[in-house]
Amino acid sequence: MHTVRLPDGETVPALGQGTWMIGEDRSQRSREISALRTGIDLGMTLIDTAEMYGDGQSEELIAEAIAGRRDSVFLVSKVYPHNASRNGVAEACARSLQRLGTDRIDLYLLHWRGGVPLEQTVAGFERLKADGKIRHWGVSNFDTDDMEDLMAAGGTACAVNQILYNIGRRGCEFDLLPWLGDHGIPIMAYSPVEQGRLPQKGAAGAALAGVAARHQATPYQIALAWLLRRPETIVIPKAADPAHVRDNRRAADIALDAADLAAIDAAFPPPRRKTPLAML
Ligand code: NAP
């Protein structure tokens, strides 16, 4: 699988695993752990979570899934905006480390922009980095003007912006992706298969099905391959079903050609004007 280079030169797998809604139902626990371990075995070693997910239950389940193999995993977690003051991030990070059963988070993100001045959050992140509690930090759900504000607040060490981006949610292509490209900041595309609700009917459903048939793939795999074609995009589908995890891994080996991309553009048009960044 190809990798994506973070601004400091470290590389991470382009395809990782999301964990929203994982860890909340005890009857699903062993299946969810098995799905995450399957993904790790297949090289999807970047795992995305947040203190918000299941009020910490996602982080606790990940601790179990990665027991004994922490060093082969790249852990991403997120702090709530209301915890993102200079001292608040340190306290939230300590709780996340405890739940994750580890001494460091590889990438720690501000989940979305809230009321705390960005200078404070950046100072908190930088202190955590200096203390070795986190290795990189970044943001999530930041639109172009938020990124400008972040830079002005001293946040030039931002490693990633995690945003809603998929085949049917292309608004960020207008100005945010070019801005991030110019600044060498990769994106992490969340909800890459639209939470399992890709279009099945109409022109969009037919186009996706047509491209999928050409590659003997599923529409989900095509939606992932479409995102993975961009070299600076990390993609984090969530799959509690180990069979879905295996399908998702195979998507990284699908190369879409110009005809595929044209069919996708016709059915899922790129943006012609600025729209505010969507979030879930
Ligand atoms: P998603 O990954 O687009 O979709 C997950 C859904 O798609 C699940 O129902 C899953 O089913 C299904 N699925 C996955 N692979 C499939 C496949 N190959 N074939 C058929 N169905 C498949 O949605 P998401 O969970 O919202 O987004 C992914 C991750 O991004 C999250 O888990 C989270 O880590 C992160 N996220 C971040 C933010 C943010 O604000 N920063 C917001 C949303 C999400 P099964 O579970 O049954 O396998």
Side-chain angles (χ1 to χ4, degrees), residues 164-170 189-199 208 220 223-224 227 237-238 268 278-280:
L164 174 61
Y165 183 35
N166 66 43
I167 205 163
R169 307 258 200 178
R170 299 183 61 172
Y190 76 68
S191 305
V193 295
E194 190 61 27
Q195 303 199 301
R197 293 190 289 266
L198 290 175
L208 207 44
Y220 297 92
L224 294 174
L227 286 166
K238 171 260 176 183
F268 301 90
M279 67 180 278
L280 291 178

Side-chain angles (χ1 to χ4, degrees), residues 40-113:
I40 296 169
D41 290 343
L42 294 171
M44 297 157 69
T45 51
L46 182 151
I47 300 179
D48 178 77
T49 183
E51 61 173 333
M52 185 186 100
Y53 298 167
D55 276 335
Q57 292 179 103
S58 161
E59 292 179 323
E60 285 168 1
L61 182 136
I62 290 167
E64 201 174 327
I66 66 170
R69 55 201 308 195
R70 166 69 186 92
D71 291 347
S72 49
V73 169
F74 187 96
L75 279 181
V76 184
S77 193
K78 310 184 200 79
V79 59
Y80 268 125
H82 62 256
N83 285 337
S85 64
R86 185 177 153 89
N87 291 329
V89 286
E91 289 162 16
C93 182
R95 292 190 294 269
S96 284
L97 288 171
Q98 173 85 30
R99 287 189 291 263
L100 286 162
T102 185
D103 60 352
R104 79 242 178 239
I105 290 170
D106 297 294
L107 173 62
Y108 200 36
L109 307 179
L110 173 59
H111 207 148
W112 63 89
R113 189 170 181 179

